[in-house]
Amino acid sequence: MFTFKEHSKFVYCAILLSFIGHPEIFPLVFTTKTQEIFNCRVDEDVTEENCFKLIKKEDIIQDLKTRAAISDFYPVKRVVLEYPGEELLVVFDANFQYGQNFYLVASEEAKENFLKPPDTAEEKEEKSEEEKEGTLDVHAYKRSVRKPWVSLGSEKEVEEESVKGYVTKIKYMFSRARRKFGAPIRFTDRNASHVKDSYVECTSYQDTTFSIKLLERDVGVQMVPKVKEASTQTKWTYPKNAATQYSPRQLSNEEMEESLSSEKLKEFLTSVHLRMEIALQQNEIMNAFFDDWKALAEDETSSGDKSDVYLKAYQSFTDPQYLKDRSISCVRWHPTIYGIIAESATQQHSDEERINLSDKLLLQDSVIIFWSFSDPIHPQLILQCPHDIYCFQFSPSDPNIIAGGCFNGQVVLWDISKHEERLQNAKSITVGPSYMEDDESVTEPPLVRYCATSSTEGSHKTVITDIHWLPDHFEVNRTGTTFENRAEICIQLVTCSPDCLILFWDIRVTKLPGKLSFEKEKNIFDMPPGVPDTFKHLALSWKPLIKVLLAFFQSLAADFCFNLPRTYLIMAINKSQLKNKPLCSMSSSSKFSIYLIFLALQDGEIIYSDWKIKIDSDSGKPVSKKPSHKYIIHDEAVNTVQISPFFKDIVLSVGGWNFAIWKEGVTDGPILESSCTAQRYTTGHWSLTRPGVFFIGRDDGNIDIWDLLKKPHEPSHFQNISKSMITCISPWIASPKQQFLAVSDDSGVLHVLEICPILSQSSSNEQANVLDYFEREVKYLKNYEKYQEFQAKERTEKESLKCTYFC
Amino acid sequence: MTELENYLFSGIPIRTTLDNSTTVQYAGLLCQLTMKARSTVRDIDPQNDLTFLRIRSKKHEIMVAPDKEYLLIVIQNPCE
């Protein structure tokens, strides 16, 4: 059996053999089986001498078919199949000349050679063997015998190599007529594509046989890093100045003094001084900041027609139930709610009657009535009072608290917080004819009982003629010193009355000295139902904080005018018309505890002095000093003292048949005094928006409107409002375009008038003009005084001269 | 109402009627402005020099009189 190794060896040998010129020898290995089949058993059929065996081709092929791969002829299968002859020669190779024990001769010629001249070959072999043995001894020269050339196949090679002509040459002969040679040549163009088959194209085509597939290619590679651009945004925190704290350079004191005293500075100042002076003078001469254009516009609006000045009747309120035969003593607007006005109704008696009747019970209820613009027929709210109220005030910090001064000297407090909403909604109710018919929708105005009244022994002895709240930044303590009120609400009241007393009241729970807490509790009783208990602590035991006796008056002081330092709020306490009630107005200067008073007395005297509450050594009670100046201007009791809302040192006083304007600090007299008129002046009020305008009410029902800039000697306009005496005037700014004037009269009717724009809107420089006017008047007054003195002196001189002359 | 200050050209106040912080502020700012104004005038005409500087604003008028070493500043409120 052939192993792979043997097979390869066999092939190797075959290749070797073919190289050395014996390509037809194929060494084979015959197994015993094969030897039996082909009868070429070693040492039986074939021997060393008789080594040739002819085997038929068909037998071999048969053997190949039967034994296939295991047949010994398998490696030479192809050779056998291709063998042209019928019999193949197999030669026993005893010497293993060709590698195996048998070899196959593949070609006929070789076979012949082997069969025939093997003898010679054998002989040659023998000879060569012999020669080999023999040449060792002697090599005898033997002349070579010429042999016949034996063809070994070389003539074939020669034949192959030699060049012979295979192709018989073809002879052609061309001839042409001679004249055709040398003829001029004419070339023409001809398009090859026009004629069919005129040209033969040899187009290129891709011959796949010649396309070489590149299996190997030389490629150069360079390693280069890939360049990539990338960017990212980072939060680069870099220090940046957020704030810099610095302090300025400053010269030390010595340096400063040195430079101040240096010569250079002096020279500088002299040279610069002139320039600066010129500039300052220029500024003095002309006001560079004056806006001519704006001023021009203002002038146009202020020059209105005379006929345009009016007080338009807006509404009038009266109530048949409560206000029959009653006089309205005081009118106040609600500070915050639009269109609510309150009035206090009193008996329509003359003074004497009132005093006589004061002991008897008043059958008619005393009320404060609230009206709203939306409903002129039905009052919104009615406050019950124990007695007639002569004056009342809304608390500036809390409009739901109302303080009123009674006829008998008591102070009464109301708290209407429950009804605040009703008052606020009052404006949404519209008045129409259907409203009258529908009785169900009409509700009775709620009656509010008073919360607290002061104790009778602590209050005034006679009517409280004026009542005011102290401003919310200010309070007074027991000893009379004033200090700052941190609570920012109004907690203190001041009242005055003809009994010479000015009382300070405090609405907080005060610790009265010497009273134990349980005693206080005893005094507190349950309030009647429906009354808020805001002032429960005051109840019946409310006593004034400070009682100031104005000792220098026989009769009673009543009016106040507080001019307080920080904000210069004016509390002008207006006095009513009752006789025996002097008025006093106080205005404070810049220091807390010193007050300057303008006191207007009952007889028309105006007193101007310092007022300081000090403790009287005798009685231990605070008293005030003696007055410094006295003026008698008014013929009757002064009923109005009011500080101008624009100028803190201008005071208007109205009384009797004239009015006067005073200025604080001017002690010579009033800066303006009106001439006496036919009717009495009953009340007066400054306009809230125009500095030079004020309203005066008369007892014939007229209102005089005075404009100091237009006509200082007579009213610029007057208008009749009602038939009876005007008792109170109160203007109110409802909106920048709308101003109302509430006028109450003696017959219980409250008229609300709308002030025309001319009277309500001031021009830009009006205040300055009015101020100028007042200053002029002051100067005139001073000059007048001087002139009078001069006149008096001259007169005395003249008289003395006269005397001397005559004597 | 007028206020008055004297300054060194370096901007340090020597004498003033105002409070310190306002003075220092005016000093620093007006010093620079004066120098700028002066250099403007001289740039246009080198023979020229700044004699007086007046700044009118809504609320005040500031008048500056410069010199070689010193500066005089007056702040004036309007007439009314």
Side-chain angles (χ1 to χ4, degrees):
Chain A
M1 297 295 270
F2 261 42
T3 62
F4 184 66
K5 242 193 198 168
E6 285 172 5
H7 177 73
S8 58
K9 195 175 160 193
F10 167 78
V11 168
Y12 178 69
C13 290
I15 293 167
L16 269 180
L17 282 170
S18 66
F19 277 130
I20 55 172
H22 292 284
E24 60 272 47
I25 308 288
F26 292 98
L28 286 171
V29 176
F30 276 14
T31 55
T32 36
K33 183 88 173 128
T34 318
Q35 285 169 14
E36 279 173 18
I37 294 170
F38 292 105
N39 301 320
C40 54
R41 281 178 282 259
V42 178
D43 291 336
E44 283 180 60
D45 295 336
V46 287
T47 57
E48 207 171 336
E49 291 89 26
N50 193 15
C51 54
F52 298 105
K53 184 74 185 169
L54 288 165
I55 303 170
K56 285 204 169 98
K57 189 176 163 186
E58 284 129 342
D59 288 341
I60 299 173
I61 290 169
Q62 188 69 35
D63 179 55
L64 279 169
K65 278 183 188 163
T66 51
R67 295 210 291 165
I70 56 168
S71 163
D72 290 330
F73 285 100
Y74 186 70
V76 293
K77 181 182 173 185
R78 197 145 173 253
V79 174
V80 167
L81 288 170
E82 284 172 7
Y83 192 71
E86 260 192 293
E87 286 183 336
L88 275 95
L89 178 66
V90 172
V91 180
F92 174 66
D93 191 0
N95 297 327
F96 287 87
Q97 194 181 359
Y98 293 105
Q100 304 296 343
N101 53 356
F102 281 89
Y103 62 85
L104 176 77
V105 177
S107 68
E108 285 280 314
E109 293 160 347
K111 185 173 85 180
E112 297 300 322
N113 286 340
F114 272 109
L115 286 173
K116 284 197 191 131
D119 304 333
T120 53
E122 271 186 326
E123 285 175 316
K124 254 196 193 169
E125 280 176 63
E126 285 174 359
K127 266 193 191 168
S128 64
E129 280 174 24
E130 281 177 16
E131 278 179 11
K132 273 182 190 167
E133 289 169 4
T135 51
L136 284 168
D137 301 327
V138 173
H139 189 71
Y141 178 70
K142 213 175 173 184
R143 204 174 156 199
S144 56
V145 176
R146 203 200 284 169
K147 292 170 203 165
W149 178 67
V150 177
S151 162
L152 290 169
S154 57
E155 72 265 20
K156 284 184 208 161
E157 286 176 30
V158 171
E159 263 186 42
E160 280 170 21
E161 296 296 320
S162 65
V163 174
K164 288 181 199 150
Y166 287 99
V167 182
T168 55
K169 295 194 174 95
I170 304 167
K171 231 183 193 177
Y172 283 100
M173 197 179 82
F174 298 94
S175 68
R176 200 177 180 204
R178 197 196 161 103
R179 67 175 187 291
K180 285 188 186 163
F181 287 98
I185 297 162
R186 243 180 284 120
F187 286 115
T188 54
D189 284 328
R190 191 181 70 161
N191 201 339
S193 57
H194 283 164
V195 181
K196 199 180 170 190
D197 294 338
S198 65
Y199 71 98
V200 172
E201 230 178 2
C202 186
T203 51
S204 62
Y205 64 97
Q206 194 156 20
D207 194 356
T208 48
T209 52
F210 292 103
S211 64
I212 306 166
K213 188 170 169 190
L214 263 182
L215 292 174
E216 219 175 66
R217 194 160 77 169
D218 264 329
V219 171
V221 170
Q222 188 175 10
M223 281 289 288
V224 168
K226 198 163 125 185
V227 174
K228 193 166 94 166
E229 258 185 51
S231 67
T232 155
Q233 195 155 8
T234 61
K235 260 194 205 159
W236 175 37
T237 51
Y238 58 93
K240 196 163 86 166
N241 257 347
T244 314
Q245 195 171 16
Y246 62 92
S247 70
R249 273 189 302 171
Q250 280 180 343
L251 293 176
S252 65
N253 280 340
E254 301 88 33
E255 283 177 337
M256 224 185 272
E257 276 169 27
E258 191 197 312
S259 41
L260 275 174
S261 56
S262 70
E263 272 302 308
K264 281 189 183 169
L265 190 74
K266 285 178 188 147
E267 282 172 23
F268 160 71
L269 285 173
T270 42
S271 73
V272 139
H273 158 263
L274 192 63
R275 288 179 255 170
M276 197 55 85
E277 212 176 308
I278 293 172
L280 287 170
Q281 272 177 1
Q282 281 175 355
N283 278 356
E284 279 295 310
I285 293 166
M286 198 199 89
N287 180 14
F289 295 90
F290 185 68
D291 191 351
D292 295 308
W293 183 248
K294 219 190 249 182
L296 201 66
E298 286 287 341
D299 285 344
E300 280 177 13
T301 54
S302 62
S303 62
D305 247 351
K306 275 241 164 91
S307 58
D308 286 349
V309 174
Y310 58 87
L311 292 169
K312 196 166 78 174
Y314 188 79
Q315 257 180 15
S316 63
F317 302 99
T318 186
D319 185 67
Q321 183 187 355
Y322 291 102
L323 296 174
K324 189 166 187 280
D325 294 333
R326 306 199 92 194
S327 166
I328 298 171
S329 56
C330 188
V331 175
R332 293 274 178 259
W333 292 89
H334 194 287
T336 49
I337 304 177
Y338 171 87
I340 302 286
I341 186 168
E343 58 181 10
S344 65
T346 59
Q347 304 293 329
Q348 242 180 8
H349 303 291
S350 70
D351 299 331
E352 293 86 14
E353 279 177 41
R354 221 186 295 260
I355 293 165
N356 294 338
L357 287 169
S358 60
D359 313 324
K360 298 183 191 157
L361 277 171
L362 295 163
L363 295 169
Q364 253 182 340
D365 284 335
S366 313
V367 288
I368 292 181
I369 300 178
F370 277 69
W371 294 100
S372 161
F373 278 173
S374 56
D375 189 358
I377 314 288
H378 303 93
Q380 296 301 315
L381 202 62
I382 298 190
L383 304 180
Q384 276 183 327
C385 335
H387 305 276
D388 278 350
I389 299 283
Y390 273 83
C391 53
F392 65 95
Q393 284 282 355
F394 286 91
S395 162
S397 56
D398 181 8
N400 291 330
I401 299 176
I402 302 158
C406 286
F407 171 69
N408 65 344
Q410 275 183 315
V411 177
V412 186
L413 285 172
W414 289 271
D415 184 353
I416 56 163
S417 347
K418 276 200 303 194
H419 307 278
E420 184 188 355
E421 214 182 297
R422 188 203 150 88
L423 286 176
Q424 273 182 344
N425 294 337
K427 47 183 167 171
S428 58
I429 303 167
T430 52
V431 177
S434 59
Y435 190 81
M436 291 288 287
E437 295 156 10
D438 194 359
D439 280 339
E440 285 157 1
S441 62
V442 173
T443 51
E444 271 291 313
L447 291 171
V448 180
R449 199 179 172 281
Y450 47 89
C451 273
T453 57
S454 61
S455 61
T456 38
E457 62 270 10
S459 331
H460 293 281
K461 300 290 171 291
T462 58
V463 57
I464 292 179
T465 47
D466 213 346
I467 184 168
H468 263 271
W469 291 87
L470 281 181
D472 54 4
H473 57 84
F474 188 84
E475 64 179 297
V476 181
N477 75 351
R478 197 148 272 287
T479 57
T481 49
T482 58
F483 52 94
E484 204 184 323
N485 174 9
R486 305 270 167 177
E488 302 278 323
I489 51 166
C490 294
I491 44 163
Q492 289 184 339
L493 301 168
V494 185
T495 58
C496 61
S497 104
D499 61 357
C500 268
L501 286 173
I502 297 173
L503 296 179
F504 287 79
W505 303 81
D506 196 316
I507 61 171
R508 295 171 298 186
V509 181
T510 51
K511 272 209 210 122
L512 298 166
K515 250 197 172 162
L516 295 167
S517 56
F518 63 87
E519 256 187 79
K520 242 167 90 180
E521 277 167 31
K522 250 199 282 176
N523 289 332
I524 295 169
F525 62 93
D526 290 323
M527 301 294 272
V531 179
D533 54 358
T534 332
F535 299 112
K536 202 166 154 184
H537 52 271
L538 296 172
L540 281 178
S541 62
W542 193 18
K543 286 217 166 69
L545 191 66
I546 306 172
K547 259 187 190 170
V548 179
L549 185 68
L550 297 172
F552 48 91
F553 296 124
Q554 291 307 313
S555 45
L556 316 169
D559 246 11
F560 282 122
C561 211
F562 268 127
N563 189 345
L564 291 166
R566 273 208 307 192
T567 61
Y568 288 86
L569 273 180
I570 313 295
M571 285 198 311
I573 305 182
N574 246 332
K575 229 338 244 117
S576 85
Q577 263 191 296
L578 300 167
K579 267 195 191 160
N580 297 330
K581 289 187 178 94
L583 310 176
C584 73
S585 68
M586 304 197 304
S587 60
S588 70
S589 67
S590 54
K591 298 215 182 111
F592 266 152
S593 49
I594 300 173
Y595 299 84
L596 293 166
I597 315 177
F598 269 107
L599 296 167
L601 292 184
Q602 51 163 356
D603 298 329
E605 280 180 21
I606 303 275
I607 292 182
Y608 169 64
S609 78
D610 257 342
W611 182 67
K612 203 172 180 174
I613 305 177
K614 58 171 193 218
I615 309 292
D616 190 17
S617 46
D618 298 336
S619 56
K621 286 195 192 140
V623 289
S624 52
K625 282 185 349 194
K626 240 176 126 39
S628 51
H629 303 271
K630 254 192 198 179
Y631 311 96
I632 298 174
I633 304 291
H634 305 285
D635 302 316
E636 272 200 353
V638 179
N639 52 47
T640 304
V641 176
Q642 204 189 24
I643 294 185
S644 163
F646 290 90
F647 307 106
K648 303 306 164 225
D649 48 1
I650 304 284
V651 178
L652 169 75
S653 70
V654 177
W657 282 270
N658 60 355
F659 69 85
I661 296 181
W662 308 81
K663 187 174 158 101
E664 194 183 322
V666 174
T667 54
D668 300 322
I671 53 178
L672 182 73
E673 196 186 326
S674 80
S675 52
C676 296
T677 56
Q679 276 81 35
R680 290 223 293 266
Y681 284 148
T682 52
T683 183
H685 206 288
W686 287 96
S687 161
L688 294 176
T689 49
R690 289 195 64 188
V693 173
F694 49 92
F695 306 97
I696 308 271
R698 301 221 291 244
D699 69 350
D700 59 355
N702 280 1
I703 286 197
D704 285 348
I705 302 169
W706 287 74
D707 188 348
L708 289 174
L709 292 175
K710 279 202 186 139
K711 277 195 284 193
H713 54 276
E714 64 173 16
S716 68
H717 184 76
F718 56 87
Q719 190 167 332
N720 183 277
I721 307 293
S722 86
K723 292 185 287 288
S724 48
M725 184 178 73
I726 308 278
T727 50
C728 192
I729 296 178
S730 178
W732 184 54
I733 304 170
S735 69
K737 294 268 162 59
Q738 218 181 20
Q739 257 196 33
F740 294 112
L741 192 71
V743 179
S744 63
D745 64 12
D746 208 25
S747 59
V749 182
L750 176 68
H751 305 265
V752 174
L753 309 154
E754 197 175 334
I755 303 175
C756 67
I758 295 173
L759 282 178
S760 53
Q761 282 159 13
S762 68
S763 52
S764 60
N765 50 1
E766 189 169 332
Q767 192 158 350
N769 287 345
V770 173
L771 194 67
D772 281 340
Y773 169 77
F774 286 136
E775 276 168 20
R776 278 204 310 272
E777 289 295 318
V778 169
K779 276 189 204 149
Y780 171 72
L781 196 68
K782 285 210 173 85
N783 287 340
Y784 185 69
E785 290 285 329
K786 278 189 197 152
Y787 176 69
Q788 282 206 320
E789 278 171 25
F790 178 69
Q791 283 258 316
K793 232 198 298 179
E794 270 204 3
R795 232 179 288 128
T796 50
E797 277 179 21
K798 264 198 195 153
E799 275 177 13
S800 64
L801 274 174
K802 258 197 204 161
C803 284
T804 54
Y805 182 68
F806 278 121
C807 293
Chain B
M1 189 170 47
T2 61
E3 293 95 9
L4 171 79
E5 296 132 30
N6 276 5
Y7 297 123
L8 265 182
F9 239 49
S10 50
I12 306 171
I14 300 174
R15 174 119 180 249
T16 174
T17 60
L18 289 176
D19 57 292
N20 201 27
S21 54
T22 322
T23 304
V24 155
Q25 198 178 19
Y26 270 106
L29 296 168
L30 283 167
C31 205
Q32 295 173 26
L33 185 66
T34 315
M35 286 208 238
K36 189 73 174 178
R38 170 178 279 194
S39 69
T40 307
V41 167
R42 285 179 77 101
D43 268 348
I44 294 168
D45 180 10
Q47 308 284 328
N48 212 350
D49 197 5
L50 181 72
T51 51
F52 203 80
L53 185 66
R54 235 173 169 178
I55 302 166
R56 239 172 241 158
S57 75
K58 272 195 221 168
K59 294 187 186 170
H60 314 286
E61 177 162 9
I62 305 170
M63 290 170 276
V64 179
D67 194 56
K68 282 195 293 297
E69 298 100 23
Y70 299 99
L71 202 64
L72 178 67
I73 300 177
V74 175
I75 300 149
Q76 191 178 31
N77 280 343
C79 292
E80 60 258 5

